[in-house]
Amino acid sequence: RSARISVLLHDGDGSAIATNYVAHWHLLPNLGMDLVVPVLAQLMPLELAGKLFVALSMSLSVIGTATLHRALYGRVGLWPLCALLSVYNVILWYGFLNYLFGLGIALLAFSAWVASERRPTRWRIAGFAAVAAAIFVIHLFAFGVYLLLVVSYEAGNAAASRGPLKDKALLLAGALLQFVPSGLMLLGVEGGPLFTQFGDLNARL
């Protein structure tokens, strides 16, 4: 991973690395580290930037759990500390840092979604469409978790409301509008290395 980030840092600068390796950017929903660490490396040594990204990937799930508890119940409390028990897990052990980082961002985004229920719908949908697209680029499975959280929450709200079925369907459809840009991005995914091929349109669906 450090070697790949080094290539990204020196891309096009005329160095020996740049003369042997060229970054080929394209839309791929697994770019968390590739986008974040080079930015951090502008402020600190690359090794430290990598360690900071790992630390963020481990801590964001706990922070996201705490913020979600706050959004749902109006206070943080002690229950979110249970998330500490799962910080070191098999996903981390296998090195799926992009997913873990994206998962933390997804929890933070869902917390914000819950907390912003009273905000104007138009601006809320537009803002969270950008957030959902960012999570999609960080990691596809993290985006899937965010999608599942929003759909489950809004379906529960719709089921609990006393309005007619049409109004319930419109409420849920309105929440799903934020995922339209991300869905279009999925159609534009070009593929990637052998282990991250997404196949044709039928396979993606």
Side-chain angles (χ1 to χ4, degrees):
R1 293 177 183 271
S2 296
R4 187 173 77 249
I5 301 301
S6 296
V7 171
L8 296 178
L9 284 174
H10 293 283
D11 185 44
D13 65 358
S15 64
I17 293 178
T19 58
N20 288 278
Y21 300 96
V22 177
H24 175 59
W25 290 100
H26 60 276
L27 182 59
L28 182 69
N30 188 20
L31 296 176
M33 176 176 282
D34 301 73
L35 296 176
V36 175
V37 176
V39 175
L40 295 176
Q42 301 294 328
L43 308 173
M44 61 190 72
L46 175 58
E47 182 179 356
L48 183 57
K51 290 180 179 179
L52 179 57
F53 184 82
V54 174
L56 287 172
S57 300
M58 297 174 67
S59 61
L60 280 177
S61 60
V62 179
I63 297 171
T65 302
T67 57
L68 180 55
H69 195 276
R70 174 69 173 80
L72 291 172
Y73 302 109
R75 58 187 179 83
V76 175
L78 297 177
W79 279 110
L81 292 177
C82 294
L84 290 169
L85 298 175
S86 63
V87 167
Y88 189 82
N89 53 63
V90 69
I91 300 175
L92 176 65
W93 188 79
Y94 276 113
F96 296 132
L97 293 174
N98 284 345
Y99 169 68
L100 288 177
F101 181 78
L103 179 62
I105 300 298
L107 287 172
L108 290 172
F110 181 57
S111 303
W113 174 259
V114 173
S116 63
E117 283 184 316
R118 300 184 183 277
R119 298 301 178 97
T121 301
R122 179 185 304 176
W123 296 109
R124 187 177 180 226
I125 295 299
F128 280 94
V131 171
I135 297 173
F136 174 85
V137 172
I138 291 172
H139 198 277
L140 180 61
F141 279 18
F143 170 77
V145 171
Y146 177 65
L147 172 65
L148 180 62
L149 289 171
V150 171
V151 170
S152 300
Y153 181 76
E154 293 300 333
N157 284 343
S161 65
R162 297 183 178 181
L165 183 60
K166 179 182 178 181
D167 291 345
K168 294 181 179 183
L170 288 175
L171 181 66
L172 182 58
L176 293 178
L177 284 176
Q178 65 177 290
F179 299 108
V180 172
S182 306
L184 295 176
M185 290 169 65
L186 179 60
L187 299 180
V189 170
E190 297 181 11
L194 181 61
F195 57 88
T196 56
Q197 288 287 350
F198 292 92
D200 57 16
L201 177 60
N202 183 60
R204 296 176 208 174
L205 294 176

